Amino acid sequence: MKKEYVFLLNVILLLTCIGCATPPASTNLLYQRLGGYHGLELITNDFLLLISRDKRIVDHFNETDISIFRQRLIEHLCVVAGGECDYQGESMLNAHQGLNITQADFDVLVGHLITAMKQNDIPMATRNALLARLAPMYGDITYQ
Amino acid sequence: MQSIRPVVVLISMLMGMILSPHSNAQTTKIIATGGATQIEGAGGGGIVPWAVVNGYGSSDEWAATAVATSVAVDDFTLRVLGASVSYDNRLELSFARQTFDLDTLGGSLGQDVWGIKYKLVGELLYTSIPQISVGLQYKKVADFGLPSAVGAANDAGLDIYIASSKVFFDAIAGRNILLNGTLRATEANQIGLLGFGSTHSSDYQVMLEGSVAVLLRDDIALGYEYRQKPNQLDFAKEDDWQDIFLAWFVNKHLSVTAAYTDLGGIAGFAHQNGWYLSVEGAL
């Protein structure tokens, strides 16, 4: 089976588990504007689907355990958005060490994240507020 | 007579790019981050070159653009045809042919502009420092007769600029804004359409150009630009230029920019205001 399809299958399997996690309480505005924990799950699911269908980027995830990656991504977005989640992953710098993420890869991911947010009807101001917090991570993520 | 050689060279560059086995044109950059194409052919706004690299190629990718622009003010019409190729979101090569119709006086002026731009540092969207690029624009007038008659010293000149651009996310009412500042060393009269230098001063002058734009949507930018210009010819005062523009990035292959421009006095004709319209295609 082609790697993209393995990835896609993993994503689809995971989607059947939406709502399994308990949303932590939070009063943070951006976190809430993104739909809270469940909203971030939906955005992340769409984001992973977009990645799985993109030949430019999918190979970077060949060695990735998608269920763990998904969980860390949700936690990370939660923390970045000011939610009270416990991010159990590594720092952005350490997590991307040796992966040789290029600017083009990063641009692709940003594009897919914007699309995923749009698919979940996240308003422009909320999208931009999240991008404002994610954009400075460029230096830690690329060319490591 | 202007030869068609530059056009042939550009088409050859485009064909080479498209046919090269290792370099497919890509559209990876985020929508609107390629900017529009300014009247001298560089990626930018309408009249100011920005630090952005034209087109949507990101790292290790090619991009190409073609643009047609018309600026119709009271007594003159500027028409521009241009094209660019870019690589690695870092290097931009461009060509623009300007034709300046003297609608009231009769006749026309024109020049060719060859441009190169190189990104030094920074990333428009991602780094705390702005994206900073340097550029050259080599300009040569089509016919030196009129520029010479009004006191220009040379029929060709080289502009040197440094541009600094940055997008600020969620800056005003949840919208992103772009700020750009450009310093240009130039000896051009009316951007070169009236030649370069004058019989009594042929020194470079450093001019300040600036742009501010707010992204009303991801794909629509509303902005203002100001371009300071030298004033070296005795026969008529030359004014700074400004415009208010609205750019719609329909998709990563097509954008349309409309603007209302104030070009001040040109060749003795005061208050030259009018409409700017530009259509750009990108690979």
Side-chain angles (χ1 to χ4, degrees):
Chain A
M1 199 166 7
K2 288 179 77 175
K3 283 163 184 171
E4 294 101 292
Y5 294 133
V6 175
F7 185 104
L8 182 62
L9 191 63
N10 273 316
V11 171
I12 290 168
L13 286 171
L14 277 163
L15 298 192
T16 60
C17 193
I18 292 170
C20 298
T22 317
S26 172
T27 54
N28 182 272
L29 196 57
L30 178 58
Y31 175 71
Q32 288 175 340
R33 284 155 67 197
L34 288 161
Y37 195 85
H38 185 56
L40 289 175
E41 283 183 314
L42 296 177
I43 293 166
T44 301
N45 291 339
D46 284 345
F47 181 56
L48 292 176
L49 270 174
L50 290 164
I51 292 171
S52 73
R53 293 173 187 144
D54 192 332
K55 280 184 283 190
R56 294 172 298 179
I57 188 95
V58 70
D59 281 350
H60 276 296
F61 296 87
N62 286 342
E63 310 294 321
T64 303
D65 181 321
I66 301 303
S67 69
I68 292 176
F69 177 69
R70 174 180 175 276
Q71 190 55 39
R72 294 291 168 271
L73 189 53
I74 293 167
E75 290 165 6
H76 190 244
L77 289 173
C78 172
V79 170
V80 166
E84 292 170 10
C85 296
D86 181 20
Y87 173 59
Q88 300 187 355
E90 298 184 78
S91 72
M92 284 297 104
L93 185 65
N94 287 335
H96 297 89
Q97 209 78 48
L99 297 182
N100 191 31
I101 307 290
T102 65
Q103 178 179 118
D105 297 330
F106 196 84
D107 279 335
V108 166
L109 292 174
V110 171
H112 285 331
L113 181 61
I114 292 170
T115 303
M117 287 193 282
K118 284 181 172 174
Q119 287 173 348
N120 287 277
D121 300 320
I122 304 296
M124 181 178 60
T126 307
R127 298 199 305 267
N128 291 341
L130 182 62
L131 292 175
R133 298 188 189 188
L134 294 175
M137 297 172 189
Y138 174 82
D140 282 349
I141 291 174
T142 57
Y143 301 104
Q144 296 304 326
Chain B
M1 279 294 289
Q2 299 179 46
S3 77
I4 61 160
R5 198 172 57 188
V7 179
V8 172
V9 170
L10 262 176
I11 290 170
S12 306
M13 285 161 67
L14 291 172
M15 291 303 290
M17 191 196 80
I18 290 160
L19 297 176
S20 165
H22 300 295
S23 23
N24 295 316
Q26 299 275 4
T27 55
T28 300
K29 282 160 65 176
I30 305 301
I31 188 106
T33 59
T37 297
Q38 53 94 238
I39 47 174
E40 290 145 315
I47 57 176
V48 177
W50 295 351
V52 303
V53 176
N54 224 336
Y56 286 98
S58 187
S59 55
D60 296 319
E61 296 175 349
W62 287 91
T65 67
V67 66
T69 301
S70 170
V71 190
V73 294
D74 297 81
D75 297 293
F76 306 95
T77 305
L78 173 66
R79 286 175 288 129
V80 186
L81 287 175
S84 78
V85 291
S86 305
Y87 179 66
D88 199 29
N89 193 24
R90 181 168 296 276
L91 179 67
E92 171 191 300
L93 303 174
S94 62
F95 170 75
R97 170 158 293 170
Q98 299 177 337
T99 307
F100 191 70
D101 292 328
L102 313 173
D103 301 329
T104 305
L105 288 169
S108 71
L109 299 167
Q111 68 172 344
D112 285 349
V113 184
W114 291 93
I116 182 169
K117 182 196 290 179
Y118 186 81
K119 177 173 70 183
L120 293 178
V121 68
E123 297 301 337
L124 181 72
L125 298 178
Y126 305 135
T127 55
S128 53
I129 57 163
Q131 179 163 326
I132 297 171
S133 300
V134 289
L136 302 174
Q137 292 179 335
Y138 175 77
K139 305 172 173 182
K140 189 166 193 317
V141 300
D143 181 343
F144 193 48
L146 184 54
S148 176
V150 299
N154 301 305
D155 68 347
L158 185 69
D159 285 5
I160 304 157
Y161 65 85
I162 182 165
S164 171
S165 307
K166 182 166 169 56
V167 166
F168 296 87
F169 288 103
D170 188 24
I172 296 174
R175 288 172 164 88
N176 304 335
I177 63 166
L178 175 139
L179 294 182
N180 177 79
T182 301
L183 281 175
R184 180 197 299 258
T186 183
E187 48 179 0
N189 306 312
Q190 295 292 8
I191 71 172
L193 292 164
L194 285 176
F196 303 84
S198 73
T199 45
H200 57 80
S201 98
S202 282
D203 293 335
Y204 272 92
Q205 298 186 35
V206 177
M207 297 286 122
L208 180 63
E209 306 174 9
S211 317
V212 56
V214 56
L215 284 130
L216 299 176
R217 295 192 331 205
D218 292 356
D219 57 351
I220 295 182
L222 173 67
Y224 168 77
E225 294 191 296
Y226 192 91
R227 176 166 172 171
Q228 188 185 24
K229 293 174 42 261
N231 178 28
Q232 320 184 83
L233 295 178
D234 293 329
F235 89 108
K237 184 174 179 293
E238 175 172 348
D239 288 321
D240 298 345
W241 285 1
Q242 54 189 332
D243 71 82
I244 295 170
F245 67 87
L246 188 68
W248 178 28
F249 301 88
V250 180
N251 52 46
K252 291 182 183 176
H253 301 291
L254 177 67
S255 68
V256 182
T257 305
Y260 187 73
T261 59
D262 171 6
L263 306 187
I266 297 177
F269 291 85
H271 308 302
Q272 296 299 306
N273 300 333
W275 293 96
Y276 169 113
L277 185 66
S278 183
V279 179
E280 176 175 335
L283 283 181

